[in-house]
Amino acid sequence: MTDQAPAPFTGKSRVLSGVQPSGDLHLGNYLGALVKFARLQNEMETFIFVADLHAITAWQDPAKLKNQVREIAAAYLATGLDPRVATIFAQSAVPAHAELAWVFNCVARLGWLDRMTQFKDKAGKHKERESVGLYTYPVLQAADILIYKATHVPVGEDQRQHLELTRDIAAKFNHDFDTPGFFPLPEALTQGPGARIMSLRDGSVKMSKSDPSDNSRINLTDDADTMSQKIRKARTDAEVLPEKLEDLAGRPEAQNLIGIYAALAGRQAQDVLTEFAGHGFGVFKPKLADLVVSVMGPIGGDMRRMLADPAEIDRILSAGAERAREVAAPNLAEVKRIVGYWAS
Ligand code: TRP
């Protein structure tokens, strides 16, 4: 960081995204979300928060939650989000999210929520035992976005449906209250080289913090040896790497490792393949392990350093929350006036 504060971006486009503080961040989160956040902050006004309201839709140990929030904040900072440019905060510090979510609970229809595949996946066969919060989770997500009238939302492919719901809620609010254009219809930004990072144990499922095997993912906080080991142990096939990308079809593990290499190196997958064509994984994996360690290692180191004395993180989160509350307040006041509440 330099001492000279970059000028904050001002304009009509606004980026918003968040990550839940419910488990270790991994390579998939890094490439699929964090890298994008850091890049977008230079293009548009950016709000990035830690979704601690959402986190308790699944049980969280109250003694740990605050530190989990700090860990996500540390990851944001370690991957290049600059608190002088982007607004970084904890969701629970901005009550307007929850207030707008209530209004949206009365805009969204049960039929819309019944279609949410993430709820179906998480609830499984026993939806009657799930919290009501898990069901209405995407409504809160819509409020997170629209309380700032955000226009662009960088998220993983799995969040596309929640973004469509957000647009439906915005459109229905604008229509029902006869306030055309009051809420923008935000756009999901799901593209990018890291859009789909798969498990190291099974190339057909996404790398995930809920996978019981820790070897399935590279965590941001893994030390260098652990990262290398996980790459060396990654499942592969016995064939050599082909010359053409098309010839990786049907080899999901090989495809994934090439994709990871390309994303981390900022190169095209075809270009990486050309370099390693004709070689087996015995040659490729050590190179990939070195690359992973050289990119991810310093991030974990920075996170550990920041978390050792969280006062600075707390200061950044407090300042971010203050700024977020300032931006949210007039929007919430307008909503209350539009709905006709006594208190606005
Ligand atoms: N549901 C998102 C996820 O699991 C996290 C999230 C909550 C979010 N609110 C948001 C993402 C608002 C983008 C915008 O990844």
Side-chain angles (χ1 to χ4, degrees):
M1 271 193 211
T2 58
D3 288 321
Q4 182 66 44
F9 187 95
T10 49
K12 274 213 152 254
S13 299
R14 185 176 275 166
V15 166
L16 176 130
S17 196
V19 171
Q20 286 195 66
S22 52
D24 286 339
L25 289 178
H26 52 71
L27 180 65
N29 305 122
Y30 172 70
L31 289 171
L34 303 183
V35 176
K36 283 197 225 166
F37 299 170
R39 203 182 56 233
L40 285 163
Q41 71 181 338
N42 303 314
E43 295 169 24
M44 295 179 211
E45 188 184 13
T46 296
F47 288 72
I48 302 292
F49 71 101
V50 185
D52 55 352
L53 297 185
H54 278 108
I56 68 161
T57 55
W59 175 253
Q60 302 298 327
D61 182 345
K64 294 189 182 143
L65 186 54
K66 194 178 280 185
N67 259 323
Q68 289 167 204
V69 170
R70 290 180 177 132
E71 274 177 32
I72 304 292
Y76 289 161
L77 297 167
T79 52
L81 270 182
D82 182 340
R84 297 165 306 176
V85 179
T87 302
I88 304 167
F89 60 100
Q91 193 183 20
S92 60
V94 188
H97 291 233
E99 288 189 70
L100 183 60
W102 175 256
V103 174
F104 284 175
N105 271 327
C106 302
V107 173
R109 307 288 93 179
L110 280 176
W112 300 359
L113 289 186
D114 279 340
R115 285 196 286 276
M116 294 296 117
T117 56
Q118 185 168 300
F119 176 79
K120 288 189 222 174
D121 290 348
K122 286 194 179 172
K125 288 201 185 96
H126 296 288
K127 83 177 172 91
E128 64 286 350
R129 287 188 211 160
E130 279 303 340
S131 71
V132 175
L134 186 69
Y135 186 69
T136 191
Y137 176 120
V139 176
L140 177 58
Q141 183 164 349
D144 297 335
I145 298 165
L146 294 171
I147 193 63
Y148 305 103
K149 299 190 175 184
T151 53
H152 295 79
V153 187
V155 279
E157 196 60 53
D158 62 328
Q159 294 298 309
R160 196 168 266 290
Q161 197 184 31
H162 289 170
L163 259 293
E164 275 158 25
L165 182 88
T166 301
R167 296 161 66 92
D168 289 344
I169 290 174
K172 184 164 164 58
F173 181 99
N174 291 347
H175 174 268
D176 288 358
F177 293 99
D178 197 18
T179 49
F182 178 74
F183 284 122
L185 305 188
E187 200 183 311
L189 303 176
T190 55
Q191 298 306 308
R196 250 181 115 64
I197 303 297
M198 312 308 280
S199 157
L200 299 178
R201 309 298 305 164
D202 177 354
S204 69
V205 300
K206 264 184 57 173
M207 187 175 284
S208 160
K209 54 190 164 195
S210 53
D211 193 313
S213 164
D214 194 56
N215 281 329
S216 70
R217 60 186 164 260
I218 307 275
N219 299 307
L220 255 55
T221 47
D222 284 343
D223 60 34
D225 279 351
T226 309
M227 289 184 186
S228 290
Q229 286 247 8
K230 285 178 175 177
I231 294 293
R232 280 159 208 266
K233 283 191 194 148
R235 181 167 153 194
T236 43
D237 50 44
E239 289 171 53
V240 298
L241 288 163
E243 276 178 21
K244 293 208 197 81
L245 218 46
E246 304 87 84
D247 296 330
L248 278 179
R251 299 174 65 187
E253 284 83 14
Q255 226 164 8
N256 188 39
L257 294 186
I258 293 287
I260 291 173
Y261 193 108
L264 286 174
R267 288 166 57 185
Q268 295 297 325
Q270 177 59 64
D271 182 38
V272 175
L273 209 49
T274 305
E275 181 182 338
F276 291 100
H279 293 290
F281 289 98
V283 171
F284 178 70
K285 277 182 171 179
K287 297 277 188 204
L288 176 60
D290 287 350
L291 179 61
V292 168
V293 168
S294 74
V295 178
M296 309 288 286
I299 294 173
D302 280 357
M303 284 176 65
R304 277 188 286 276
R305 187 181 48 70
M306 283 188 262
L307 289 165
D309 175 16
E312 175 68 1
I313 297 177
D314 287 346
R315 197 191 58 71
I316 289 167
L317 288 175
S318 296
E322 199 169 315
R323 158 110 184 101
R325 284 191 297 261
E326 273 169 26
V327 175
N331 293 341
L332 184 66
E334 268 291 278
V335 167
K336 289 180 167 180
R337 191 190 59 73
I338 290 168
V339 171
Y341 278 152
W342 180 82
S344 57

